[in-house]
Amino acid sequence: MRDAMEKAWSDLVATARRSVADGLVVGTSGNVSVRVGDLVLVTPTGVPYDRLGPVDAVAVGLDGVQVAGRLRPTSELPLHLAVYRGTGARAVVHTHAVHATAVSTLVDELPAVHY
């Protein structure tokens, strides 16, 4: 299980860093998580993704209780846990893309679209 957790954390960090490189998050906005069995690895709050390392891993149970890590999980942990509890999702990437954030200030509801 330890190897799976280390691999999952490494993949999570790479995904978080890519979200910055792709312009999907600014600063420390947005968050990423991955489910490994009954545990959820999640980005910690307030840490720039380029500074995340192996010692920064944060793990919580599906009940939200932190079981590993010295940093606090993202404040949007309840969103991630709701997705895991209600779906078969194995990972969540929650971005705060500039354009999406701007649109969210202009309208109350967006129609579902697929390009």
Side-chain angles (χ1 to χ4, degrees), residues 5-104:
M5 296 288 278
E6 288 176 3
K7 169 82 167 93
W9 179 252
S10 176
D11 290 345
L12 180 150
V13 170
T15 299
R17 289 179 178 162
R18 181 173 175 190
S19 71
V20 173
D22 289 350
L24 298 175
V25 298
V26 177
T28 60
S29 68
N31 33 74
V32 181
S33 67
V34 62
R35 183 172 176 175
V36 181
D38 289 334
L39 294 179
V40 175
L41 294 170
V42 63
T43 49
T45 189
V47 179
Y49 296 152
D50 64 343
R51 294 175 53 194
L52 287 175
V55 299
D56 299 318
V58 175
V60 300
L62 292 173
D63 59 1
V65 174
Q66 188 166 340
V67 298
R70 59 180 176 78
L71 301 173
R72 289 185 337 203
T74 175
S75 61
E76 293 174 332
L77 178 62
L79 168 102
H80 291 256
L81 294 176
V83 170
Y84 292 123
R85 287 186 203 120
T87 72
R90 305 301 294 166
V92 175
V93 179
H94 177 194
T95 69
H96 289 236
V98 174
H99 294 99
T101 302
V103 168
S104 74

